Amino acid sequence: MNPEDLQARLRAMRTEGTLLRRAQEAARRFVAEAPERPVFPPPEALRALDSLDEPLPAAGAEPLQVLDRLDALATATTVNQHSGRYFGFVNGGVLPAALAARTLADAWDQNAALEVMSPLAARLEAVCGRWLVELLGLPAQTAAGFVTGTSMATFCGLAAARHALLERHGWDVNRQGLGGAPALRVVAGRQAHAAVSRALALLGFGLDTVEWVAADATGAMATEALPALDDRTLLIAQAGNVNSGAFDDFRALCARASAAGAWVHVDGAFGLWAAASPGTRHLTGGVDQADSWSLDAHKTLNTPYDCGIVLCRHPEALAASMQTGGAYLQLGGRRDPMLLVPDMSRRARGPELWAALASLGRDGVAALVELLCVRARAIARGLAAAGFDTPVPAVFNQVLVRTGEDGHTRALLGALQEQGRIWCGATEWEGRAAIRVSVCNWATDAADVAACVEAFVAARRALAGW
Ligand SMILES: *Cc1c(COP(=O)(O)O)cnc(C)c1O
């Protein structure tokens, strides 16, 4: 194609706006019709994805056709996260205001690396950081970096810890590396999320050297099993066990760490939001004494993907760990988003987060957290009343379910997924097979709670004679 022709075509598309109008119309329809669609695409629908396995075309197709093809594929094959009956992983739903803001902001196409690249993106992140610190009751000086999710936020928090602990022992890890560095210790709960192990491994903390601390019966770190800490220790705690929802005893852990000069990082992906609601705040008592935290807005807060946040009480340690130059010296002046995270160019995550927080307000966030807990407790009660084994109390938004034997639990999950009334996934609890029902969507209502319990009962009936 002639380059001049290409440019003329693109310019015409931009002026007409037909593509964007079509996309917006399709997006509106997609959301409006979501309650009618299956919670998970059936296998025969997923076969439509095979149509994508074609060679890269030499000549391009009409953009409208390209868009319509995507739209048709998505309608048939997407996992229905708009449905209040999707209980998989800890995948949040999406708030209408946040989704709309994201859609709008996508049109802005801002690069959030530097303030000079997008003063708006930088300011929205700064404001969201301040709001989150206030909402979660963290120390006022806490800095916020915006990343893809808690995996990356944890990586950032642990990198800040590594930098700070080594610096206190006269070692600049950015310049001197890890070879010959003073040895650091890592102490973490045995039920830490897999994202913690990944971050540790990426940062050169060999997993065989980690001092894993046993969990108590609820899945929280058994505080009495904590080894002696010192000023070379990184202690990793958890707000919200991914299976049981349990919270570590931050007051006790942070007191021990503080007395020893250790650094505490809290993986609070979905659970740190408990601090934003009067009904659950007690679960996070003492969490403000930690040094760094990781958090997902795309879980409990229900922003669109991807929106994770690293929070750090020591802004200079986080910035220093992310920089190889002296750029962090500017931290006191401008707030360049890239100073606090590993990325340079990236999309702005502030618009949807800001829209979520601004449209809910402090009361709305508290009500959202409370809503998820109320629904989870109702599901746990319903399942227990129907004779299912719920091995731990639902303290937050996670419900664990199992039946008599592992084979039966797995078959039950298979039947649930096949019947397709709800969707939830498999996990392990106390070395045994379990099913995890995660309530993480504002849309889950009382009818969805009843449907969930009925789906379990129907699936068990389908296995009659097991
Ligand atoms: C989801 C989750 C993670 C990983 O977060 P991503 O946003 O998927 O990267 C880490 N820890 C806990 C407790 C989680 O629930």
Side-chain angles (χ1 to χ4, degrees):
M1 183 188 296
N2 176 325
E4 296 292 342
D5 289 350
L6 173 67
Q7 188 170 50
R9 275 179 58 185
L10 295 174
R11 191 176 287 131
M13 278 177 223
R14 185 173 65 183
T15 311
E16 284 167 20
T18 314
L19 282 163
L20 264 186
R21 259 200 308 281
R22 177 76 66 102
Q24 280 159 359
E25 190 44 50
R28 257 209 308 276
R29 191 164 17 84
F30 183 89
V31 172
E33 293 173 359
E36 321 309 328
R37 280 198 305 276
V39 69
F40 195 91
E44 59 280 9
L46 285 174
R47 257 175 249 128
L49 295 176
D50 295 341
S51 68
L52 289 170
D53 294 331
E54 57 188 357
L56 173 67
E62 252 328 296
L64 263 183
Q65 282 174 14
V66 170
L67 201 64
D68 286 348
R69 208 178 141 194
L70 266 182
D71 180 32
L73 259 184
T75 303
T77 64
T78 38
V79 173
N80 193 354
Q81 301 209 140
H82 291 280
S83 166
R85 298 179 190 193
Y86 183 82
F87 302 105
F89 304 92
V90 196
N91 287 0
V94 61
L95 296 167
L99 176 60
R102 165 69 178 273
T103 306
L104 178 60
D106 274 348
W108 305 340
D109 191 31
Q110 295 292 280
N111 185 339
L114 295 170
E115 187 179 6
V116 70
M117 290 180 179
S118 179
L120 172 60
R123 187 64 65 93
L124 284 172
E125 288 191 2
V127 170
C128 287
R130 180 163 59 73
W131 284 2
L132 287 174
V133 165
E134 203 181 305
L135 190 63
L136 301 170
L138 303 180
Q141 80 269 23
T142 300
F146 294 80
V147 288
T148 45
T150 286
S151 299
M152 208 52 187
T154 300
F155 174 86
C156 294
L158 302 190
R162 185 182 71 169
H163 193 280
L165 289 171
L166 286 174
E167 189 176 52
R168 286 177 206 164
H169 291 91
W171 192 269
D172 180 343
V173 68
N174 287 351
R175 284 187 19 260
Q176 296 170 276
L178 286 172
L184 298 183
R185 292 171 56 209
V186 177
V187 176
R190 192 166 293 287
Q191 295 201 13
H193 193 275
V196 168
S197 302
R198 288 167 59 147
L200 285 171
L202 283 168
L203 287 163
F205 293 106
L207 294 180
D208 289 350
T209 70
V210 174
E211 299 169 52
W212 299 105
V213 184
D216 67 17
T218 70
M221 201 189 293
T223 310
E224 67 279 6
L226 196 70
L229 306 177
D230 58 31
D231 63 357
R232 294 183 180 198
T233 305
L234 164 54
L235 171 62
I236 303 170
Q238 185 164 257
N241 178 302
V242 79
N243 285 316
S244 66
F247 290 71
D248 291 347
D249 181 350
F250 306 111
R251 228 183 286 283
L253 295 178
C254 292
R256 291 272 298 273
S258 165
W263 179 293
V264 181
H265 178 83
V266 177
D267 173 359
F270 64 93
L272 190 56
W273 293 101
S277 184
T280 45
R281 192 168 294 144
H282 63 281
L283 296 169
T284 60
V287 81
D288 58 317
Q289 300 301 309
D291 296 278
S292 55
W293 305 263
S294 34
L295 179 71
D296 271 330
H298 56 227
K299 288 181 177 165
T300 313
L301 187 63
N302 283 209
T303 66
Y305 283 90
D306 44 21
C307 193
I309 305 113
V310 56
L311 296 149
C312 185
R313 169 197 294 274
H314 316 282
E316 62 303 325
L318 178 60
S321 70
M322 294 295 143
Q323 307 306 315
T324 47
Y328 60 89
L329 294 177
Q330 299 168 6
L331 197 63
R334 294 200 318 273
R335 188 206 172 280
D336 284 329
M338 68 169 235
L339 296 180
L340 297 170
V341 296
D343 306 278
M344 288 189 177
S345 295
R346 63 176 174 81
R347 71 180 186 84
R349 297 193 172 89
E352 60 263 34
L353 180 54
W354 182 83
L357 295 171
S359 63
L360 288 175
R362 187 189 286 278
D363 285 355
V365 175
L368 175 60
V369 172
E370 182 66 19
L371 177 68
L372 303 180
C373 296
V374 165
R375 300 293 184 235
R377 283 196 296 268
I379 288 173
R381 270 197 313 274
L383 289 172
F388 290 94
D389 178 13
T390 50
V392 276
V395 290
F396 198 58
N397 67 329
Q398 309 285 91
V399 182
L400 279 179
V401 195
R402 61 190 181 192
T403 60
E405 48 174 302
D406 286 1
H408 191 266
T409 301
R410 289 195 194 99
L412 182 73
L413 180 62
L416 273 172
Q417 293 184 347
E418 199 179 306
Q419 292 180 354
R421 302 181 191 195
I422 64 166
W423 201 92
C424 46
T427 190
E428 262 195 20
W429 184 251
E430 295 168 332
R432 290 183 48 197
I435 300 171
R436 180 176 53 202
V437 181
S438 177
V439 184
C440 206
N441 191 332
W442 66 265
T444 299
D445 62 14
D448 296 325
V449 167
C452 178
V453 175
E454 282 160 23
F456 269 85
V457 171
R460 185 174 55 191
R461 207 179 305 123
L463 300 181
W466 172 270

